[in-house]
Amino acid sequence: MSKKVLLFVFIVLAMVMASCSPKAAGSGVPAVCEEDSIGCAKIPAGSTIKLGMGAPLTGDYASFGVDISQGATIAIMDAEPIGDFNFELVAQDTGGSGEGGAAVANKLVTDETVVAIPGHIFSGSTEAAMPIYEKAGLPMLSPSATNPPLTQQGTSVFNRIAFTDAVQGQFAADYLYNKLGFTKIAVMHDGGAYGQGLADVVREEFTKLGGEVVAYEAITPGEVDYTATLSAIAANNPQAIYFGGYVAEGVVLANQMDQSGLADAVFFGCDGTFGSEFIEKTGASGEGAYAASVIPPESQAKIDFDAQYLKEFGVEAGSLSPYTWSGYDAAAALIAQVRAVAVLGDDGNLYVPRGALVQAVRNISGFQSITGDITCNEIGECNTAGPTFYIVENGEWVEAK
Amino acid sequence: MKTSLQNSVRNGVVFGVVIVFLALIGFLVIAASLLQKMVGNPVGLTSMPSAASLLVFLGFLHLWNGWRVSHNKEDIDTNVPLKTRILRGLTAGVTTGLFLLVYALVVGTINERGVDMRVYLSMLSSQSIDFFLFNQSPLVGGLIQFGFSAAAAVVGAVLAKFADSGKDKVKSIQKAAVAWSDKSWLGKVKTNPYVSYVLIGVVLLLLVLVPRQWGAYWNYIMGTVGIYVLLGLGLNIIVGLSGQLVLGYVAFFAIGAYSFALVTAPDPHNLQFNFWIALVIAVLVSALSGVLIGLPILRLRGDYLAIVTLGFGEIIRILLKSDWLKDFTLGPRGLRNIAGPTLFGREFIGDIDFMYLIILAVLLALFIARRVQDSTVGRAWLAISQDETVAQATGVDTYKYKLLALAIGAAFAGLGGALFASRNQFTGPEDHVLMVSINVLCLVIVGGMGSIPGVVLGAFALKGLPEILRELESYRLLVFGALLVVMMILRPEGLWPAKRPNLEVKQPPPEPETDTRPAAIGGGS
Amino acid sequence: MEGTKRKRSLTLPQNKSGLFRLIAAVVVFALLFWRVGAVATVSQFGADTWLRLAVSGLILGGMYALIAIGYTLVYGILFMINFAHGEVMMIGAFGGYFVFEAFNAIPVTSADGTTLSLLNSYPILAVFLAFLVGMSIAALAGFLLEKIAYRPLRGAPRLVPLISAIGASIFLQNAGQLLFGPQRREYINPDLLTRGTGWEIPIGESSVMLTYTGVFSLVLSAILMIGLFVLVQRTKLGKAMRAVAQDKSTAALMGVDVDKVISQTFVISGLLAGAAGVMWGIHNQLINYFTGFLPGIKAFTAAVLGGIGNIPGAMIGGLFLGIVESVGPAALGIDFQLKDVIAFSILILVLIFRPSGILGEALAEEKV
């Protein structure tokens, strides 16, 4: 017994020893670091400038995390080094949970060479990570955390290029009622924060405009048989089904509408259901389905990106999640800001003033990217433009008139 | 002779299949890059690790292959002649090598034709295949792999020879050292009653000092471990002591976290209770929910109880995120701005403060768990877990005691949940998934069922290990799952098995060969 | 069965609570029926909707039943929850997927000059091979799983193999993700089994579609279940399995090779899971590494619902669970999001009033 305790004590002692590495004071520190509100990140000669990402790399949402981090990897490959300093992406697994998000954030802030965070991916994990980055002074630019309250908490570090449910939902309701002239719709969502947020806004706005929401149902994500839910909705004879959620469930819904008595209803998705995977996996039953997106249909930047993505990872861009382009943009925008503020010290090390970087990211204006120009407002919403609506015609997404 | 060669071939096949599997999932690449990182030469973004690091990693496996077959159970003594050993190693190495050769030829040829195999096998990029073939043609690369496998296995087999002959010597030295230390100082220390107090003092001192030293990341990880110790202690009471298999333990964790969050968060109810009052509420609500859930279902036994409680866990999670309760729980968005602890007007929300709080909670829980276990109640639980029918027949009110176990276990979970929510300042339905229940159950059993130090060790293994495995990125859960299986096979009784008070009628001591494992706990036989 | 009854009558409180439970059961089920009646009278659902819901539930239930049998077989013999069974099904689903992909990739030009894929030229062969491959791979997985993760733990405390099974499940899931990638893959069916098409049954003004894939999987699961029932009841292997389930040591004394029988049980449960996996792909189109997890949990629930260790129980439990999931929310007038809440609540209710499932335990007698 006592032997075991002794052993334990030794282990703990060893851990303490290991954790107290002495900190070397540097000379040749540039003046900006003295003035900076937070201080500088010192990147020693020979190391890389790191962008940290918290993403679900395992578990049932792994496809999102893997895809977005791969998009960001391409941005890193495209980035010119600053002097001899290359960029590097450190993607850590959050498992999609808040707990994992906080663990990753805590891990990333211990590494001084991590300067910015193109993430996190899901709102829960972002929520838990935010206060930790706030304390450390690491700017975030999330490609896909869409939960509206995230930007309303007065943090200086959190920004996002994903557009919020509130904006998109309003546009979608308007489009359904005024453009398409529907008066009876059913609203569905996948039970997640993102889908439910959208569905709520659409229901509210559509009713306000004078339409009737005849059914409101949520599905369990990850399942592949929604015929029961759809059949129950069919009994109300809606003209269209609005769905807030992701492409995985969107595909299943669109495919099973016919056999559930909804052959005449239109499937109307969101930016989560946009992308090549929807067309690939719905085939004929996807014809006439709508979706929203911020991605310009075929800009040169997008074509180049898609080609490189296919070459590097062997799958089509957008077949894993609809956010891979946003992942690229978030990383690219952050890299540009790092480049703008970084200072090469006299001692051969690179210094990144953290306070200035946080400011620079919040002040991003007119940054050219795949998903359009990025301009952040004072609370960190960098994508306030309305979405464009698309329709599937002959197996292609075309802009809906 | 024949059987030993068969054994070698079998071993070679296993190693061949495993290495091919590792190559297919891209594990060889990440293992090699980790090795390279360890020697301080990290791999660039787009490039592959060096061939040397691959050879080192594969070399380990091949050496092990040879080592394993070098001597086997059928050998009467360890003194197997070198020639036999080499032959065995060669057989195993060649068998493994054949697998690698065939794999190299198949994959290499397809790759040379320019087919991108990642459409079906996501990790098998052209680069990683070239890496496996050392940038040679499929045949040459395959032959290198083949030769290396055979050679390294022979070396492994030879090494085992020396190790075997050295083994006895090492053993005798070890024995002498232990005898000497027992005689001179360790024996005195062991028997001295004050030593344990001193040790406890040292541990307590360390618990105070360490959180100040190791920074926010380790405080966070160890805080999580601490919260899982709380959960583990609670579930240990239910599963380990009273023998009721509960698979939905996360329900109580969720109830604790949410009731704490709901009374402290500004949204949606704006109650903003004080931290300590909220903590008490969370614990009480969880305990009460344990009683309420237990009332109808505790008559069920074994796996029926397991699945029913699993159902309860799912019901709670689905209700928390449902549209139906959205106005009450905010649905999938979860609750934010949850209060941190305050004392005499000062806020304790730093990572060090929280670590102290968790340590205090864990110590308290350890104390309670210990006291309860040794009390009359604990003996009643022991009786129930051994044989419920007999316990009832001898006058134990099994229903009452099972309910008590569930209530206490739930209260522990409630405390853990409240601390968890308070520390993250956020909680949502995704924090309370089935995997939490499974993790807690695993840590109780991995640690050693019914054993309090086992729970602590188990929590370190289950929550600390995945953090250590973080470097493996998307491979970490794969490795974790495999380790879980290996851990169970090597130590089925747990890392630190419980020393049960032997209250039953004394049985004749079991024979060592037939009974190497402890009697079934939690409703064996 | 007799044994349990005797023990129950040992003490008085049990009898009193038995009466209490009977009253509670009557009250609860009366409330349930009242609610269903109330919803049905005001419901806007017509007969066509109810039929659609029932059909959807029946098809889903058939697949649950097939997976549930795997749990029940293993449980009946080893008294352990084979947590990795859902992953075995996932492996089977991938096996069938690759057969279809291969068939789809090869073009065949027929005599009249039209070019079809091999899949559509020989659809029956393709489907047969997909099942053959999927089932064999899953059976192999089941066999290896037992050999590697469970056999060394024979005789260990009862929960230890469960943890090993959980570890194996995590391992297989992640291996699936790393091997085949995180994306969902689409089963390309032969035209014969195009999804979303089927027989239209006119009901009143509208019509209800019975999809070909749905009917196909329901019929196939029925055939497989009957086959299994015959195997267990009539063959020598079945007899051995039942003997091992009753008492391992006595069975061994009677000359039954217990280890071999256990291995064979895992192979059989793997075969059924593989068939369920291929069916899952054919009917539900999309599969990925996570495919097995949810159906696995549901099927386990179904097995317990029917009485674990009881083969007809698993079938009834599966069908019952499928129907409750799809008809339940509509009948009770509750959100479909809460269908699992209803399913689990029904499970709890059934178990409170019938503590060993609908049909009770049969493969073996009492276990603690």
Side-chain angles (χ1 to χ4, degrees), chain C residues 228-352:
Chain C
L228 178 84
F229 198 72
V230 170
L231 180 108
V232 171
Q233 294 299 328
R234 294 284 153 81
T235 64
K236 212 169 165 189
L237 171 62
K239 211 179 239 177
M241 279 164 69
R242 281 181 289 143
V244 172
Q246 288 280 350
D247 187 336
K248 278 190 204 53
S249 42
T250 312
L253 286 177
M254 299 297 171
V256 178
D257 185 343
V258 175
D259 274 346
K260 201 168 142 198
V261 170
I262 291 174
S263 259
Q264 281 162 343
T265 308
F266 270 86
V267 167
I268 292 170
S269 81
L271 283 174
L272 294 177
V278 179
M279 248 182 245
W280 192 268
I282 287 178
H283 180 60
N284 289 329
Q285 182 187 18
L286 300 173
I287 57 163
N288 71 349
Y289 63 95
F290 213 67
T291 293
F293 189 74
L294 282 178
I297 300 261
K298 291 285 174 58
F300 175 45
T301 309
V304 174
L305 190 62
I308 196 157
N310 185 330
I311 294 167
M315 300 177 194
I316 288 176
L319 291 175
F320 185 69
L321 191 71
I323 289 172
V324 164
E325 267 189 22
S326 59
V327 181
L332 295 172
I334 298 175
D335 286 353
F336 266 88
Q337 191 179 23
L338 302 180
K339 70 183 166 66
D340 289 347
V341 172
I342 296 169
F344 281 120
S345 305
I346 297 270
L347 169 85
I348 292 165
L349 281 180
V350 168
L351 287 186
I352 289 173

Side-chain angles (χ1 to χ4, degrees), chain A residues 13 51 68 100 102 127 150 182 203 233 244 286 289 339 351 366 386 390:
Chain A
L13 259 178
L51 300 188
I68 296 171
E127 185 92 47
L150 284 173
F182 292 142
R203 174 165 65 166
I233 287 176
R339 189 189 306 284
Y351 292 88
Y390 290 88

Side-chain angles (χ1 to χ4, degrees), chain A residues 44-368:
Chain A
S47 16
T48 50
I49 313 161
K50 294 191 184 107
L51 300 188
M53 179 179 261
L57 299 175
T58 60
D60 43 349
Y61 290 107
S63 63
F64 283 85
V66 170
D67 188 40
I68 296 171
S69 63
Q70 286 177 350
T73 305
I74 302 236
I76 299 273
M77 287 174 175
D78 286 354
E80 294 280 318
I82 305 177
D84 294 336
F85 293 90
N86 281 305
F87 284 93
E88 186 188 344
L89 182 78
V90 192
Q92 295 274 1
D93 181 27
T94 61
S97 69
E99 182 202 349
V104 166
N106 273 307
K107 167 113 192 173
L108 289 175
V109 298
T110 55
D111 186 346
E112 207 198 344
T113 58
V114 174
V115 294
I117 311 290
H120 288 190
I121 304 307
F122 286 124
S123 297
S125 142
T126 309
E127 185 92 47
M130 229 156 53
I132 299 158
Y133 292 132
E134 173 86 21
K135 224 159 88 184
L138 284 171
M140 306 164 76
L141 187 59
S142 173
S144 54
T146 52
N147 200 351
L150 284 173
T151 47
Q152 291 154 17
Q153 299 183 48
T155 66
S156 59
V157 293
F158 181 72
N159 312 279
R160 63 171 155 215
I161 54 176
F163 53 177
T164 66
D165 334 352
V167 175
Q168 193 189 155
Q170 216 164 351
F171 276 94
D174 184 63
Y175 195 87
L176 278 162
Y177 188 79
N178 290 327
K179 271 266 175 62
L180 299 177
F182 292 142
T183 51
K184 279 172 71 180
I185 61 164
V187 175
M188 299 180 79
H189 66 83
D190 67 350
Y194 163 73
Q196 194 213 35
L198 269 175
D200 275 358
V201 176
V202 169
R203 174 165 65 166
E204 198 179 305
E205 295 292 326
F206 195 76
T207 321
K208 229 187 254 172
L209 288 167
E212 191 192 352
V213 175
V214 291
Y216 183 89
E217 290 282 0
I219 52 170
T220 311
E223 291 188 349
V224 275
D225 186 350
Y226 298 127
T227 47
T229 317
L230 286 170
S231 300
I233 287 176
N236 298 301
N237 298 314
Q239 295 163 303
I241 288 188
Y242 182 84
F243 173 64
Y246 297 116
V247 69
E249 286 76 27
V251 166
V252 178
L253 286 173
N255 278 341
Q256 291 175 348
M257 275 165 69
D258 279 4
Q259 70 198 61
S260 312
L262 281 165
D264 301 329
V266 170
F267 180 83
F268 198 104
C270 53
D271 67 330
T273 62
F274 181 76
S276 57
E277 193 191 3
F278 186 86
I279 292 176
E280 240 168 62
K281 298 202 168 136
T282 52
S285 37
E287 282 293 312
Y290 286 86
S293 181
V294 282
I295 306 162
E298 290 302 325
S299 66
Q300 192 55 45
K302 180 170 177 286
I303 293 167
D304 292 347
F305 174 85
D306 289 356
Q308 200 179 350
Y309 191 97
L310 183 64
K311 185 180 142 256
E312 289 299 330
F313 304 111
V315 284
E316 295 272 354
S319 63
L320 295 183
S321 85
Y323 292 115
T324 184
W325 300 281
S326 306
Y328 175 91
D329 287 351
L334 286 175
I335 289 169
Q337 305 315 312
V338 172
R339 189 189 306 284
V341 299
V343 182
L344 210 57
D346 302 334
D347 50 359
N349 301 326
L350 187 75
Y351 292 88
V352 181
R354 293 190 188 278
L357 185 61
V358 168
Q359 266 309 313
V361 173
R362 183 54 59 86
N363 294 337
I364 292 178
S365 167
F367 180 78
Q368 300 273 322

Side-chain angles (χ1 to χ4, degrees), chain A residues 55-62 93-97, chain B residues 25 27 30 435 438-439 461-463 465-485, chain C residues 166-178 289-290:
Chain A
L57 299 175
T58 60
D60 43 349
Y61 290 107
D93 181 27
T94 61
S97 69
Chain B
I25 62 170
F27 191 82
I30 192 141
M435 255 341 259
I438 290 176
N439 263 332
L462 263 284
K463 290 313 281 187
L465 201 60
E467 287 301 327
I468 295 167
L469 296 177
R470 238 178 217 300
E471 292 299 317
L472 295 172
E473 294 176 15
S474 32
Y475 296 87
R476 72 182 181 126
L477 282 187
L478 178 95
V479 175
F480 176 69
L483 281 179
L484 212 52
V485 175
Chain C
I166 291 170
S169 162
I170 295 175
F171 176 83
L172 290 176
Q173 238 176 55
N174 283 280
Q177 182 195 334
L178 292 163
Y289 63 95
F290 213 67

Side-chain angles (χ1 to χ4, degrees), chain B residues 235-307:
Chain B
L235 192 65
N236 187 38
I237 288 175
I238 303 172
V239 179
L241 300 183
S242 78
Q244 308 301 310
L245 179 53
V246 167
L247 274 184
Y249 193 57
V250 69
F252 307 122
F253 182 62
I255 288 171
Y258 262 82
S259 49
F260 181 87
L262 284 171
V263 298
T264 64
D267 218 22
H269 302 304
N270 200 18
L271 294 170
Q272 308 245 26
F273 278 27
N274 175 280
F275 173 88
W276 303 102
I277 297 172
L279 200 63
V280 172
I281 291 177
V283 172
L284 288 182
V285 170
S286 300
L288 190 67
S289 70
V291 173
L292 287 181
I293 289 176
L295 274 174
I297 64 169
L298 271 180
R299 284 186 201 288
L300 300 175
R301 288 184 181 189
D303 298 283
Y304 293 95
L305 184 68
I307 192 69

